C-alpha cells in the first residue's frame, strides 16, 4: 500500500553544513541515491543528466533584446526598490526573471556585490532556465511552479556550490499564468527561514500591481468606447434607454448573452452572431476591435436590438463611472436630432478596481454589487469590463450606450435597430473569463457524471469522457490490478494496468487497455506516483523525463500532442493509480489552472473508484458464497433432461436459487426460489432455505406441504433475527414441482412466485393456472397444489422474477416475448436457456435471474410391473414367483435374490400391519425399485431386534440388501419402497 503525507525521501543539508554533497557525488558517478536529497532536487538532477548538462559548465545563454519595460518589470520595479532598501548592507542579491527564465532585473543589498560577482549573477539578460542552467532557484521554480529553496551542493552547476537561493513564481491574478520569478540569492552560510515569508509578501505585491495594470487597461478601453459612442450618437443607429431591456430578459437569457460576449472577446476579431432567447426571439451580438488613446487594444461587444423606437434617448448609467473610473462628463449621452449633445453627470466616487475572477459591472444603486456581473458574483466572467444596469427588480447583464461606428462585420444593421454595450475587454482576458466559466461547468457536470455506477472500469471511463475534449484531447487511466479485482491497492509502482484509453479520435496509439504499463525512472508518471502530487509538463517534447524513455516510447504518442498533466488517483490516503491528460489540438499548453482542474476531477473520480472497488470486493464475496451454495452439478436421473442458468444482478447479488432433487419411484423434484433483498444476508439466507427445502423434499412430502414447512422456517428465522424485529430478513418466494415419469403427471405449488411456462411437444406455450399462494414467511395461510399432465417431450420452464420484472418493460409484454421464444419445441433445454437469456432477459438485470428448463421423459411401460393382491399371506409366494419371472424377462437375474427377499419382507409387513388392498410395483430404471403400498398410514420403523425376539428383523434385512429405502405417504395410505443396485448379487 502506498501512503503519503509528504515527500518520500529525506530532505535537508548534510550534517557538516556543506549540503548534500556526498549524494550529489554518488549521483554524478551513476550510483543510486535514496537518502539525503529531496525529491524535487533529485528529479531536477535526473532531468539535467538526461539533457546532457555538464556540472562544470560556466557559460549561460545571454539575450540582449529582452523587453526592459514589460508588464512584469513595471510591476516589479517599486517592489524591488523597497526590498533593496530593506536588505541594505546585506549580501543578498534580488532578481526578477520572466516566464522563460531570462533575468530582467537585479538589485543588491550591498553595492559592492555588483562589482564582485561574476557577470551571470549581476547583469540582466542571462537565461537561468533549468534546461540550460541546471538545478537552480529560477529554473526549478519554473519547473515545479512553486516556492523553491536550493542550497549549496543541491545546485547542479559547480559555480553555484557556495550559494543558496529561494525563488517563487509570480502569477497574473487574472489568468493564473506565471509571468515571472522572484529570486533571493545569498551566501550559503546566510540561511534565514524568514526569507520565505518576505519573498511571499513581495510576490503578492507584484501580483497586485499586475492586477492594477489590467484594471487601468480596462478603464482605458471603456473610456475609448464611450468617446466613440458619443461621437456617433447622431448617426442612423439610435440607442435605447438602459432600463428598457432588463424586464424583457430572463436570468438565463442574460447569462447566455454574457457567455457569448466573452467568447467573442476571446476570438479577438470582428464578428456578428445571433443568440436565441428562451422566448424564441434572437439578439445579434456584434464584436468590433478598438484601441484606446494609450494604445491598449481590445474588443467591444454590442447587442443589436431590432425594431426599437428611434426617438428614445441614449442613457449611460452614472454608476458606470463609479466602477470603471472614466470621466464624469461622459457619463450621460443623449441622442436626438443631428447634433449630438453631451450633458455632464453629477460627480461620484469610485468603487475599487476589479479583483481576480470577477467582472467589473455597471450597476444601479446598491444592487449592483450582487448582480451576476458584479465583483461579488461567482458566476461572472473573469475580469472583463461590462457597462450594464439593473432593472427595478433585479440585475441586467447589458448596459445602454448609443451609436458606435456601425461596424458589424459582413452583416448590415437595420436602420431601425439600436445598440447596447454588453462587454468590453482585452482578448486574452475574455478567453480567461470563458475558460473560468467552462471550468465551473465542467466541475458541475463531473459531480453528477463521475461515479454514476459502482463499476471500477466504468468510473474510470466516466473520468476520461468528462475530460475529453473540454480539458484534454486524450486521457489514459492506469489502475492497480488489485483495485480492478476489488482488493486493496498494494504497490501501484509494480502492478499498474492500462484501464482506459479515450480521446478525440478512434485510432489511439497508446498502450491499449488491458496491458500492463511500465514507465521509465524519470517519467512524469513515475514522479507522480512517487511524490503523490500532480505533475505538469507544459512542453512535453522538451520534458527530460519523457525524452528519457527513448524514441520508441515517444513515437507511440500522436505527433501533435504537446502538453501533459499526470494526476494521482488517491482515496483515503491510498494511491489507486494515475490519470494522464494529453493536449494536442489546443495550441495553448496546460497551465496551473488546468492542473488544478485535472486534480479536482481526479480526486472526485478516485473516491468513486474506491467506492466501486469496495463494492466490487463485497459483491465478489457475496457472489462466491452464492455460487458455492447453488448446486454444483445435476443428479444422474432419467426422468427429465435439465439445463440451468444463474445470472447475478449487475448491482447487488440477491438470493435466487434452483435445485433438482431425485425422489423415490423415479420421480424428480424441480425447485426455484428467491430471497427478498440483496447482499451477504440474502445469500446466506438462501443457503439455509435451499438446504431446508431439499431436506423437506427428500422426505417425499408433496409440494404444498414442503412450502408449508418452508413458510414456518422463514417465520422462525424472522423471529430469531438478532435485531429483534426481523428488519431486512426475511421474505422469500418459491415454486416446487414434482414430475412422475411413470404417469407423466406433475404436481406443482407456488408461494408468491411467478408461474412456470409449459411448452407442449407441438410447440404450444401456456402458463398453468396455479394458485399464487402467499410469499414465505407470512404464516397462517394455506398453499394449494395443482396436478397437470406433462406428455413426454414437454418442457417445463421455471424462473425467478428477475427474468420478467424490469422497470423499463411491462410484465405482460415480457411474458409474450417469453412465449414467442419458447415456441420451438425442437430445442434442447440448453438451447432454450440460452435463447431466453438472449431475447427475454434484460440487458442490465437489476435482480438475479435463476432459470431451470426441464424436458420430460416417460418411463417405458414395459419396465413397469404391477400386481394387486388381498391381505392374505397365501398370496405372498404367488407374487414372489411372478416378480422373479419379470426380472428374468428384464435380464436381472443377478438382482433376483435380493429383490425376492425384499418383496417377501415388505409384502408380509403390509399384510400383518397394514390394510388392504395391497399393491406391488417393480420399476426397472437405473436401479430396480420395489414398492409395496397399502391403505394404512402406519409407517414401519427400523429397530435392532434382541436375541430372544422372534420378529423385528425384516426391515433390517431390507436396509442391508438395498441401496436406499423409505416411506412415501399418499392421500390414502402409504408406499414402502426400496432400491436395489442392478449389479447386486
Amino acid at each position: 500500500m502506498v501512503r503519503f503525507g509528504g515527500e518520500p525521501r529525506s530532505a535537508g543539508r548534510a550534517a557538516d553544513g556543506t549540503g548534500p554533497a556526498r549524494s550529489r557525488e554518488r549521483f554524478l558517478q551513476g550510483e543510486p541515491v535514496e537518502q539525503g536529497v529531496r525529491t524535487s532536487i533529485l528529479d531536477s538532477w535526473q532531468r539535467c543528466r538526461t539533457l546532457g548538462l555538464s556540472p562544470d559548465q560556466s557559460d549561460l545563454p545571454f539575450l540582449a533584446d529582452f523587453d526592459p519595460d514589460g508588464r512584469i518589470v513595471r510591476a516589479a520595479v517599486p517592489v524591488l526598490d523597497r526590498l533593496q532598501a530593506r536588505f541594505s548592507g546585506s549580501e543578498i542579491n534580488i532578481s526578477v526573471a520572466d516566464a522563460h527564465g531570462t533575468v530582467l532585473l537585479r538589485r543588491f543589498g550591498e553595492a559592492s556585490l555588483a562589482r564582485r560577482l561574476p557577470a551571470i549573477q549581476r547583469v540582466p539578460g542571462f537565461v537561468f532556465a533549468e534546461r540550460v542552467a541546471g538545478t537552480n532557484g529560477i529554473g526549478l521554480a519554473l519547473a515545479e511552479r512553486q516556492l523553491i529553496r536550493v542550497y549549496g551542493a543541491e545546485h547542479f552547476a559547480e559555480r553555484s556550490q557556495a550559494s543558496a537561493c529561494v525563488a517563487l513564481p509570480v502569477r497574473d491574478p487574472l489568468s493564473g499564468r506565471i509571468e515571472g520569478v522572484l529570486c533571493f540569492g545569498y551566501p550559503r552560510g546566510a540561511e534565514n527561514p524568514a526569507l520565505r515569508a518576505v519573498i511571499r509578501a513581495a510576490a503578492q505585491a507584484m501580483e497586485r500591481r499586475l492586477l492594477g495594470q489590467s484594471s487601468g487597461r480596462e478603464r482605458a478601453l471603456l473610456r475609448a468606447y464611450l468617446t466613440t459612442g458619443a461621437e456617433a450618437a447622431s448617426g442612423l443607429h439610435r440607442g435605447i434607454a438602459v432600463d428598457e431591456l432588463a424586464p424583457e430578459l430572463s436570468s438565463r437569457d442574460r447569462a447566455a448573452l454574457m457567455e457569448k460576449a466573452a467568447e467573442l472577446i476571446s476570438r479577438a476579431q470582428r464578428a456578428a452572431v445571433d443568440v436565441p432567447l428562451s422566448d424564441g426571439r434572437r439578439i445579434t451580438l456584434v464584436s468590433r476591435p478598438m484601441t484606446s488613446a494609450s494604445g491598449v487594444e481590445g474588443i467591444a461587444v454590442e447587442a443589436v436590438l431590432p425594431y426599437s423606437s428611434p426617438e428614445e434617448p441614449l442613457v449611460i448609467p452614472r454608476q458606470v463611472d463609479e466602477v470603471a473610473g472614466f470621466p464624469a462628463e461622459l457619463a450621460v449621452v443623449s441622442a436626438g436630432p443631428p447634433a449630438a449633445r453631451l450633458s455632464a453627470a453629477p460627480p461620484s466616487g469610485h468603487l475599487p478596481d476589479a479583483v481576480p475572477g470577477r467582472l467589473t459591472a455597471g450597476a444601479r444603486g446598491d444592487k449592483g454589487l450582487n448582480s451576476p456581473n458584479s465583483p461579488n458574483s461567482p458566476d461572472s466572467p473573469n475580469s472583463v469590463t461590462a457597462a450594464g444596469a439593473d432593472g427595478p427588480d433585479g440585475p441586467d447583464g447589458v448596459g445602454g450606450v448609443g451609436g458606435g461606428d456601425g461596424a458589424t462585420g459582413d452583416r448590415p444593421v437595420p436602420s431601425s435597430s439600436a445598440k447596447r454595450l454588453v462587454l468590453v475587454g482585452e482578448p486574452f482576458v475574455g478567453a480567461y473569463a470563458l475558460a473560468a466559466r467552462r471550468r465551473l461547468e465542467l466541475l458541475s457536470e463531473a459531480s453528477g457524471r463521475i461515479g454514476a455506477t459502482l463499476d471500477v472500469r466504468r468510473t474510470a471511463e466516466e473520468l476520461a469522457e468528462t475530460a475529453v475534449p473540454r480539458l484534454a484531447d486524450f486521457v489514459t487511466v492506469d489502475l492497480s490490478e488489485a483495485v480492478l479485482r476489488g482488493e486493496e491497492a498494494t504497490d501501484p509502482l509494480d502492478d499498474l494496468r492500462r484501464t482506459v484509453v479515450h480521446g478525440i479520435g478512434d485510432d489511439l496509439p497508446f498502450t491499449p487497455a488491458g496491458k500492463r504499463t511500465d514507465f521509465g525512472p524519470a517519467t512524469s508518471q513515475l514522479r507522480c506516483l512517487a511524490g503523490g502530487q500532480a505533475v505538469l509538463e507544459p512542453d512535453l517534447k522538451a520534458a527530460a523525463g519523457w525524452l528519457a524513455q527513448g524514441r520508441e516510447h515517444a513515437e507511440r504518442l500522436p505527433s501533435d500532442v504537446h502538453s501533459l498533466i499526470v494526476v494521482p488517483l488517491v482515496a483515503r490516503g491510498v494511491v489507486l493509480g494515475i490519470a494522464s491528460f494529453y493536449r494536442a489540438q489546443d495550441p495553448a499548453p496546460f497551465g496551473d489552472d488546468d492542473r488544478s482542474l485535472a486534480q479536482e476531477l481526479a480526486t472526485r473520480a478516485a473516491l468513486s473508484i474506491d467506492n466501486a472497488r469496495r463494492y466490487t470486493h463485497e459483491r465478489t464475496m457475496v457472489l462466491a458464497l452464492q455460487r458455492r451454495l447453488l448446486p454444483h452439478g445435476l443428479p444422474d436421473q432419467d426422468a427429465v433432461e435439465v439445463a440451468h442458468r444463474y445470472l447475478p444482478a449487475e448491482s447487488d447479488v440477491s438470493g435466487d436459487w434452483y435445485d433438482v432433487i431425485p425422489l423415490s419411484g423415479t420421480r424428480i423434484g424441480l425447485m426455484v426460489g428467491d430471497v427478498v433483498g440483496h447482499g451477504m444476508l440474502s445469500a446466506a439466507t438462501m443457503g439455509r432455505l435451499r438446504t431446508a427445502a431439499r431436506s423437506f423434499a427428500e422426505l417425499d412430502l408433496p409440494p404444498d406441504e414442503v412450502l408449508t414447512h418452508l413458510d414456518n422456517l422463514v417465520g422462525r428465522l424472522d423471529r430469531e433475527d438478532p435485531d429483534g424485529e426481523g428488519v431486512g430478513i426475511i421474505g422469500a418466494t418459491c415454486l416446487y414441482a414434482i414430475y412422475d415419469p411413470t404417469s407423466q403427471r406433475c404436481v406443482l405449488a407456488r408461494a408468491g412466485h411467478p408461474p412456470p411456462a409449459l411448452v407442449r411437444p407441438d410447440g404450444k406455450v401456456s402458463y398453468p393456472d396455479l394458485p399464487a399462494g402467499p410469499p414465505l414467511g407470512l404464516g397462517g395461510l394455506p398453499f394449494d397444489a395443482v396436478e397437470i399432465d406433462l406428455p413426454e417431450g414437454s418442457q417445463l420452464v421455471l424462473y425467478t422474477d428477475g427474468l420478467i420484472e424490469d422497470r423499463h418493460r411491462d410484465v405482460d409484454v415480457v411474458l409474450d416475448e417469453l412465449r414467442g421464444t419458447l415456441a420451438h419445441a425442437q430445442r434442447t433445454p440448453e438451447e432454450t436457456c440460452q435463447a431466453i437469456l438472449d431475447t427475454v432477459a434484460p440487458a442490465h438485470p437489476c435482480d438475479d435471474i435463476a432459470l431451470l428448463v426441464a424436458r420430460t421423459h416417460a418411463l417405458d411401460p414395459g419396465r413397469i410391473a404391477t400386481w394387486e393382491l388381498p391381505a392374505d399371506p397365501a398370496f405372498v409366494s404367488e407374487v414372489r414367483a411372478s416378480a422373479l419371472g419379470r426380472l428374468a424377462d428384464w435380464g436381472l437375474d443377478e438382482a433376483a435374490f435380493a429383490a425376492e427377499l425384499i418383496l417377501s419382507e415388505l409384502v408380509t409387513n403390509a399384510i400383518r400391519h397394514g390394510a388392504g388392498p395391497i399393491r406391488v410395483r417393480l420399476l426397472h430404471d437405473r436401479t430396480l425399485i420395489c414398492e409395496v403400498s397399502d391403505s394404512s398410514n402406519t409407517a414401519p420403523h427400523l429397530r435392532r431386534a434382541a436375541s430372544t425376539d422372534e420378529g423385528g428383523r425384516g426391515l433390517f434385512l431390507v436396509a442391508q440388501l438395498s441401496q436406499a429405502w423409505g416411506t412415501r405417504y399418499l392421500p390414502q395410505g402409504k408406499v414402502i419402497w426400496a432400491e436395489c443396485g442392478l449389479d447386486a448379487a
Side-chain angles (χ1 to χ4, degrees), residues 671-687:
M671 182 180 293
V672 291
D674 183 4
V675 175
V676 174
H678 300 85
M680 188 71 72
L681 179 61
S682 294
T685 303
M686 178 275 292

Side-chain angles (χ1 to χ4, degrees), residues 739 748 755-768 788-799 815 817-829 832-833 836 851-857:
Y739 171 68
L748 306 95
L758 174 59
V759 185
R760 299 286 180 177
D762 59 0
K764 183 180 178 180
V765 181
S766 62
Y767 298 100
I788 62 175
D789 289 323
L790 281 185
E792 184 174 13
S794 300
Q795 286 192 8
L796 193 63
V797 181
L798 288 69
Y799 50 87
L815 289 176
E817 292 179 359
L818 179 59
R819 186 191 304 271
T821 302
L822 294 177
H824 299 276
Q826 73 279 5
R827 285 177 177 162
T828 65
T832 300
C833 273
I836 292 174
L851 179 62
L852 190 64
V853 178
R855 169 176 284 173
T856 63
H857 297 293

Side-chain angles (χ1 to χ4, degrees), residues 52 405 449 460 507 553 657:
D405 59 5
R449 182 174 184 179
D507 185 16
H553 186 95
W657 88 91

